[in-house]
Amino acid sequence: MEFAAAAQAFTDHLEKVRRLSPATVRAYRSDLRDLAQTVGELGVEEVSLETLRDWLWRATQRGDARSTLARRAAAARSFFSWAQEEEIIAHDPSLRLVAPKRGRTLPTIASQDAMTALLDAQRSAAATGEPDALRDHAVLELLYGAGIRVSELCGLDVDDLDLARGTVRVLGKGSKERVVPFGVPARDAVGAYLTRGRPVHMARGSRPSPALLLGARGGRIGPRAVYSLVARVLAPFVGADTVGPHALRHTAATHLLDGGADLRAVQEILGHASLGTTQIYTHVSAERLTATYRLAHPRA
């Protein structure tokens, strides 16, 4: 069987049978397309362990990150395991394929003082009543106040909000629903946008939308617009050239732990399936504590 045809069948299986997210399917498709360039005209059954090692070696030579190499090796193992189950191949050549371990890097976060300054500036801009400023303030307060993902934010409908209780219902990874609390500043920012900003945005659209956050043309705001907003306002506060909405999620989690929140409670808020994923933020807090100690203690 041709490699390209098998890869297409595999990604169709991921999408229609296993019902993985579109982003995950795209990642698998991209990795297998890259592998196809190394495989060339070989059939699936002709791909050997040496072929796969050569593929990863080439990726190393062109400077791919260790996390990318690890992900691509995992994609290859998943593909060949599926191919063996489907009896496309008799033996799985990827069983002994080893990729570099992912390097653990601490996420970019902003300090509490930086977040206060940033959000105070956004509140002042929103006080003008300009619709985009009202929406941008609501976006930033929700990302930080609720610690939600950008995809979860953009997917919110008005009916998902409970302003009285200060909670929002989000649809996370794997279509798992959870209810997340947010604070008074976020409630006030969202309430102001609903009252004074959203109606103006809605009037610009061709038809009514249930979406909470609307773009300039009245449709649901997209992740790209949120990325652009966060990059513009947050980068100066964290000293990074590139920073996205996830930095606010990282920041929210770290500040929760710094404030004494239980790790499992943070896991529930963030919607992590594994506590191990949440534990990265304990490392961030430890790093911050160590840095503070070294700066402040006379015998550090």
Side-chain angles (χ1 to χ4, degrees):
M1 187 176 187
E2 292 184 357
F3 185 88
Q8 181 62 51
F10 173 63
T11 52
D12 287 346
H13 169 79
L14 296 179
E15 181 177 17
K16 298 173 182 177
V17 179
R18 293 182 55 186
R19 305 184 72 84
L20 299 185
S21 71
T24 301
V25 174
R26 282 196 301 271
Y28 274 101
R29 188 173 288 122
S30 172
D31 292 336
L32 293 175
R33 188 179 295 122
D34 188 79
L35 175 56
Q37 295 179 358
T38 297
V39 169
E41 298 181 358
L42 295 177
V44 182
E45 68 282 353
E46 298 177 278
V47 177
S48 64
L49 176 60
E50 287 69 28
T51 305
L52 296 176
R53 285 173 173 169
D54 180 59
W55 170 52
L56 291 183
W57 178 82
R58 292 186 186 189
T60 302
Q61 293 301 107
R62 65 172 178 251
D64 285 9
R66 295 172 69 179
S67 58
T68 301
L69 296 174
R71 190 199 68 213
R72 289 190 165 167
R77 286 192 290 267
S78 295
F79 168 70
F80 284 104
S81 175
W82 167 84
Q84 187 175 36
E85 290 176 1
E86 295 294 313
E87 299 184 350
I88 297 172
I89 57 175
H91 303 286
D92 183 349
S94 69
L95 290 176
R96 292 191 292 133
L97 181 64
V98 177
K101 292 184 178 179
R102 294 175 184 265
R104 169 162 281 189
T105 57
L106 296 178
T108 299
I109 63 166
S111 69
Q112 294 185 33
D113 288 343
M115 287 306 306
T116 298
L118 184 156
L119 294 172
D120 282 350
Q122 293 300 311
R123 185 176 66 249
S124 297
T128 64
E130 202 280 320
D132 286 0
L134 287 163
R135 181 203 58 214
D136 292 350
H137 185 210
V139 164
L140 294 165
E141 287 283 6
L142 276 175
L143 284 173
Y144 175 61
I148 57 178
R149 302 177 178 93
V150 64
S151 59
E152 296 169 347
L153 175 85
C154 294
L156 291 178
D157 290 339
V158 174
D159 291 344
D160 293 325
L161 280 173
D162 187 335
L163 288 181
R165 295 185 177 182
T167 60
V168 61
R169 183 176 65 248
V170 300
L171 193 65
K173 288 186 175 182
S175 298
K176 293 181 179 178
E177 190 177 278
R178 71 185 190 281
V179 176
V180 184
F182 54 84
V184 173
R187 184 188 66 190
D188 292 345
V190 173
Y193 172 65
L194 286 172
T195 304
R196 295 185 288 148
R198 189 175 180 278
V200 178
H201 286 151
M202 178 76 80
R204 296 173 182 170
S206 57
R207 57 183 178 180
S209 171
L212 171 64
L213 300 162
L214 303 177
R217 299 181 180 179
R220 185 183 297 274
I221 196 171
R224 183 174 297 179
V226 179
Y227 268 89
S228 177
L229 166 64
V230 174
R232 174 168 51 84
V233 302
L234 183 60
F237 287 93
V238 296
D241 294 331
T242 57
V243 64
H246 224 65
L248 292 176
R249 180 170 160 88
H250 294 321
T251 299
T254 303
H255 291 176
L256 280 167
L257 289 171
D258 285 348
D262 178 76
L263 189 62
R264 288 198 177 275
V266 177
Q267 178 191 6
E268 291 294 323
I269 291 171
L270 297 180
H272 286 159
S274 168
L275 189 63
T277 306
T278 316
Q279 284 177 330
I280 180 63
Y281 299 111
T282 63
H283 296 292
V284 176
S285 294
E287 288 280 327
R288 285 157 56 87
L289 185 62
T290 301
T292 301
Y293 172 82
R294 288 175 177 167
L295 286 172
H297 199 286
R299 298 184 70 84

